[in-house]
Amino acid sequence: MARLTVQGLQKYYGKVHALRGIDLDINEGEFCVFVGPSGCGKSTLLRTIAGLEDIDGGSIAFDGEPMAGVPPRARNIAMVFQNYALYPYLNVFENIAFGLRARKFAEAEIRRRVDRAAAMLGIGPLLERLPRELSGGQRQRVAIGRAVVRDARLFLFDEPLSNLDAQLRDGMRAEIKRLHQEIGKTTIYVTHDQIEAMTLADRIVLLKDGVIEQQGAPLELFERPATKFVAGFLGSPQMNFISCRVEDGALRFSDGRALRLPPAKAARLANGRTLTLGIRPEHFSRAGGSARSGQVPLRVTVELVQPTGTRTYATFQLGEAEVSAELPAHTVEAPGTELDLLADLDRAILIDPESERVV
Ligand code: ADP
């Protein structure tokens, strides 16, 4: 197992400044997910940690030991890639055993480790098969098995599920999480998928343009985003963003409608200030029962109804924004319906439109 320390990491590809001063501490046994839009530098960061890319500044250390000049093979890392190239003419057993044979492990020890990994991954009955006789999900399990048998101190996953169909992906995601709980090794996992990041991570590191935008526990980032970017990246459907002005203890929208601010929030905001309200679809509810403080009434005209089965999404106009509210099924059936909602301003966020930081 290993603790990973990254300090001031810089990486250029020619003129492209791919990593701009990354500082990161990953604790022993932690499951850390690098997430962010395509091109933000996640794979580059992972590859520099693996030693597959040179760095142009800063440092990387495992358990305090600097990795400068240490080649990938000597870093004792196990990696699982998106393209899990298995050896086509070797059966599952030999594919998993390959790295152990290369390191001259004894036959009995190879057998023991392969059997254990195969049992953990539920591929015990497939050991004699060739890769072409396996489904995509089974192949991905073999690739993970190959990483698990090595007694690596660090596990790195680079978008390992992105070639699988949605249903398989859900299953494998649960399996990877269970595997981590079982073996408890420090793991870094790269994905562009926010659901994968939320469900797998002990800690999410959200990257944007080669810098860490925010890092923390999944629910911490979800509930207390520091920026509009983080708020918009996590959560599906996305958070609604609506521009407004503070006016006499309320948020006033461009169509003249207003939401009364909870007193504690109102006290901190200067009259006349322009803001962006960030409110998730699930922060709306149907008016009717007793409202908590912070839940303020809003009458809307529903323009679009999208049932998903358990929940229904209702879209309406507020100021200049199209806003989506998540409601129980059957709350609203047809467009044109007038609906009395409650907006939970205790859970919503307010963003400074200039800095795009949460205020
Ligand atoms: P992500 O994994 O988040 O999609 P990458 O780490 O692959 O992003 O890329 C970060 C940036 O570096 C991007 O602008 C990408 O185009 C650039 N980049 C990545 N690899 C190379 C390379 N081998 N040569 C040149 N530019 C690269």
Side-chain angles (χ1 to χ4, degrees):
M1 272 200 254
R3 187 170 49 80
L4 177 75
T5 315
V6 174
Q7 279 174 335
L9 191 63
Q10 301 279 348
K11 171 71 187 172
Y12 289 87
Y13 294 105
K15 287 202 177 106
V16 177
H17 198 175
L19 298 176
R20 306 162 179 253
I22 301 287
D23 293 308
L24 187 64
D25 262 300
I26 302 178
N27 297 322
E28 203 161 296
E30 198 169 17
F31 198 122
C32 180
V33 175
F34 296 166
V35 69
S38 180
C40 69
K42 328 178 270 298
S43 297
T44 302
L45 181 54
L46 192 79
R47 293 170 60 80
T48 58
I49 291 167
L52 299 170
E53 298 281 357
D54 293 333
I55 62 177
D56 298 306
S59 64
I60 297 169
F62 293 175
D63 290 325
E65 179 198 339
M67 285 295 117
V70 178
R73 277 189 70 85
R75 294 190 184 195
N76 196 13
I77 282 172
M79 260 189 108
V80 180
F81 295 96
Q82 177 178 344
N83 299 315
Y84 35 82
L86 302 178
Y87 302 103
Y89 301 111
L90 297 181
N91 67 18
V92 168
F93 184 97
E94 291 303 329
N95 262 286
I96 297 177
F98 195 86
L100 301 177
R101 292 211 190 286
R103 284 172 181 76
K104 309 265 187 278
F105 276 70
E107 192 60 35
E109 180 62 12
I110 292 176
R111 180 96 245 166
R112 195 185 66 77
R113 289 197 185 197
V114 173
D115 283 344
R116 179 154 178 273
M120 246 191 261
L121 290 159
I123 51 175
L126 307 178
L127 289 174
E128 302 302 320
R129 289 209 200 163
L130 292 172
R132 68 176 139 80
E133 299 167 316
L134 302 174
S135 70
Q138 290 168 336
R139 278 184 218 155
Q140 188 54 285
R141 275 189 205 133
V142 177
I144 294 171
R146 208 161 46 175
V148 169
V149 284
R150 309 237 335 260
D151 224 351
R153 56 179 169 180
L154 196 61
F155 275 104
L156 305 183
F157 290 89
D158 194 356
E159 306 242 8
L161 307 184
S162 51
N163 284 341
L164 304 180
D165 66 46
Q167 202 180 347
L168 256 179
R169 217 159 43 220
D170 291 351
M172 283 303 293
R173 200 168 66 204
E175 242 163 81
I176 289 175
K177 184 146 193 173
R178 196 171 310 125
L179 194 70
H180 177 256
Q181 281 169 6
E182 212 161 307
I183 56 185
K185 293 232 169 149
T186 313
T187 299
I188 304 176
Y189 188 105
V190 165
T191 180
H192 63 273
D193 178 353
Q194 55 100 9
I195 306 247
E196 232 166 82
M198 288 293 294
T199 51
L200 284 172
D202 293 320
R203 176 162 28 144
I204 291 179
V205 174
L206 209 168
L207 291 146
K208 185 190 174 205
D209 299 335
V211 295
I212 295 177
E213 182 84 356
Q214 192 177 357
Q215 56 172 312
L219 287 180
E220 193 180 313
L221 264 64
F222 188 79
E223 289 167 1
R224 291 191 297 283
T227 65
K228 183 181 182 190
F229 179 80
V230 175
F233 190 84
L234 299 177
S236 173
Q238 232 201 7
M239 180 178 264
N240 301 290
F241 296 110
I242 317 159
S243 73
C244 55
R245 251 165 70 91
V246 181
E247 245 181 64
D248 304 323
L251 299 176
R252 174 86 54 190
F253 302 95
S254 63
D255 57 11
R257 285 189 292 169
L259 290 173
R260 192 168 17 87
L261 279 164
K265 262 193 178 151
R268 289 191 291 114
L269 299 168
N271 215 25
R273 183 169 181 185
T274 302
L275 291 169
T276 303
L277 170 66
I279 183 161
R280 296 194 184 280
E282 63 271 25
H283 294 162
F284 290 101
S285 55
R286 184 85 193 263
S290 57
R292 282 186 287 109
S293 72
Q295 287 188 315
V296 297
L298 178 71
R299 167 161 288 200
V300 303
T301 306
V302 175
E303 290 173 358
L304 187 69
V305 180
Q306 297 178 86
T308 66
T310 42
R311 313 290 287 169
T312 290
Y313 291 91
T315 305
F316 55 87
Q317 195 76 24
L318 183 57
E320 275 140 30
E322 287 244 299
V323 176
S324 168
E326 187 193 312
L327 301 168
H330 303 294
T331 306
V332 50
E333 308 283 357
T337 311
E338 288 226 317
L339 211 55
D340 284 311
L341 298 180
L342 294 172
D344 191 342
L345 293 189
D346 277 346
R347 290 159 77 203
I349 57 172
L350 293 168
I351 300 155
D352 181 286
E354 294 286 312
S355 66
E356 304 214 321
R357 298 198 69 80
V358 173
V359 300

